[in-house]
Amino acid sequence: MKKFGILGKNISYTFSPILHKNIFEVYNIDAEYNIYDVKESEIPDILEKIKTNTIHGINVTVPYKTTIIKFLDELSPEAKSMNAVNCIKLENGKLKGYNTDYFGLIETFKKMGLLLKNKKVVILGSGGAAKAVNRAILDLGGIPAIVSRDLDKAKLEFKDISVISYNDLLETSGFLLVNATPIGTFPNIESSPVKRQVIQNFDFVLDLIYNPKETLFLKIAKQCFKKFENGFYMLVSQGVKSEEIWNDLTLDYSLIYENLITEIYNNQEDFQS
Ligand code: NAP
């Protein structure tokens, strides 16, 4: 039996074991998926288990997506460009880090039917998720812009693209608006990162938040008759991509999404990646 898992801190609510168990069932993979809720000092022990094939692949989540990099031998192009890793595999005796959030976003844009070449995409927030959106948009030929509360800090992180303030945003329109801030996440479901005045100026709206299913941000988008999507497809897709990497398989993203969406939104009050 193969062993996989997720490495992070205070991650007891993680949804990942449910997701990966579903993939194992559907594709008849003889494997288990465990939670490694560890202190930073324990990370080398876990990585040693990958090197000795006791663990066959791990996901990485908060707060270790960047701190893990110093322990790895190689990075895939998207992980290198974002300076963040959420999936590790042993390849030719070397620990290699990937970023499957990036692939989860690409799959989400496909699900939404978006052709992003030369299209303006405005990203709210300048954290890890914003970096993944920025990388994916650039690679798809789109034109990203970051909205930040702290322009100086954000301009240091996003050097070659437009960085604007929330005031500038009031005068901005575009193709796609992405919420990559935590504003609106359970239990603070009464807040939205921006008002209707902003949302109405975009054709499509994506909230990376998946809990609640429909954030206030998305409720406003719906009222404005915009096509919208929440972060659940991205969440599922980053896990499916991890399994593809670990097992050298091609999997059906929509099938796993359909298997999980009803179960999750009917049964879970609170969950995280
Ligand atoms: P993060 O690193 O903490 O960054 C979030 C960014 O949001 C910050 O850099 C900040 O940008 C902005 N922000 C934070 N607090 C804010 C506030 N009170 N008001 C306005 N802006 C605020 O978080 P992250 O890892 O990027 O995640 C962001 C969201 O994406 C979370 O809700 C997370 O759950 C979600 N996410 C979803 C998936 C998925 O699979 N669906 C994957 C990753 C993340 P400025 O300081 O520049 O304003």
Side-chain angles (χ1 to χ4, degrees):
M1 178 188 268
K2 285 189 172 176
K3 267 193 175 180
F4 302 101
I6 183 160
L7 175 78
K9 200 170 179 189
N10 302 328
I11 53 168
S12 56
Y13 287 106
T14 175
F15 160 70
S16 291
I18 299 172
L19 164 60
H20 289 270
K21 274 173 198 156
N22 189 269
I23 300 172
F24 299 153
E25 273 169 34
V26 171
Y27 288 97
N28 243 326
I29 299 170
D30 184 22
E32 60 181 37
Y33 190 97
N34 300 306
I35 298 174
Y36 302 103
D37 199 329
V38 300
K39 292 184 267 188
E40 188 176 338
S41 58
E42 295 169 280
I43 291 176
D45 289 346
I46 304 283
L47 295 178
E48 195 52 39
K49 290 193 171 124
I50 302 181
K51 281 189 175 165
T52 54
N53 268 310
T54 314
I55 297 175
H56 302 90
I58 53 162
N59 287 126
V60 182
T61 188
V62 282
Y64 299 133
K65 285 186 182 182
T66 297
T67 44
I68 197 96
I69 290 176
K70 60 176 177 279
F71 300 108
L72 305 180
D73 303 309
E74 276 178 10
L75 294 181
S76 62
E78 80 292 337
K80 192 171 186 180
S81 137
M82 289 155 50
N83 198 33
V85 160
N86 79 331
C87 174
I88 298 173
K89 181 187 184 184
L90 189 71
E91 285 182 17
N92 304 319
K94 291 183 172 168
L95 288 172
K96 181 164 177 180
Y98 293 84
N99 193 305
T100 64
D101 285 339
Y102 165 91
F103 295 100
L105 278 161
I106 305 253
E107 292 300 325
T108 301
F109 298 143
K110 273 192 219 162
K111 178 177 189 282
M112 293 176 80
L114 302 182
L115 294 175
L116 290 162
K117 197 165 173 56
N118 296 326
K119 295 285 172 45
K120 183 164 172 186
V121 180
V122 172
I123 305 160
L124 307 176
S126 67
K131 284 197 188 97
V133 180
N134 177 53
R135 187 67 263 156
I137 298 298
L138 285 172
D139 289 352
L140 292 169
I143 306 161
I146 292 286
V147 185
S148 173
R149 297 164 303 168
D150 183 341
L151 293 185
D152 292 340
K153 183 200 69 179
K155 279 178 181 165
L156 288 175
E157 298 265 12
F158 297 85
K159 291 205 173 67
D160 301 321
I161 66 158
S162 167
V163 176
I164 65 171
S165 68
Y166 279 88
N167 254 341
D168 300 331
L169 181 60
L170 296 171
E171 310 297 321
T172 301
S173 60
F175 181 67
L176 170 66
L177 178 65
V178 182
N179 178 27
T181 78
I183 306 300
T185 309
F186 180 86
N188 302 312
I189 58 171
E190 299 303 329
S191 38
S192 168
V194 287
K195 296 194 169 111
R196 184 188 182 105
Q197 195 181 354
V198 167
I199 295 170
Q200 68 190 4
N201 296 330
F202 291 82
D203 300 327
F204 294 88
V205 174
L206 169 63
D207 198 334
L208 300 191
I209 294 170
Y210 40 78
N211 185 20
K213 184 178 185 184
E214 211 169 280
T215 56
L216 179 57
F217 178 70
L218 291 186
K219 285 195 168 102
I220 300 170
K222 194 180 190 177
Q223 284 161 10
C224 295
F225 302 104
K226 306 295 175 187
K227 190 168 179 204
F228 63 89
E229 186 73 35
N230 75 6
F232 192 64
Y233 200 83
M234 175 183 172
L235 178 65
V236 169
S237 300
Q238 60 75 30
V240 175
K241 181 70 188 183
S242 299
E243 291 291 342
E244 288 189 327
I245 290 170
W246 294 329
N247 296 300
D248 292 314
L249 291 171
T250 301
L251 307 180
D252 182 339
Y253 287 67
S254 311
L255 174 68
I256 304 301
Y257 171 80
E258 291 301 333
N259 281 348
L260 291 167
I261 188 153
T262 318
E263 180 188 343
I264 287 304
Y265 286 118
N266 286 348
N267 299 327
Q268 304 275 123
E269 260 252 302
D270 187 14
F271 64 98
Q272 63 189 39
S273 70

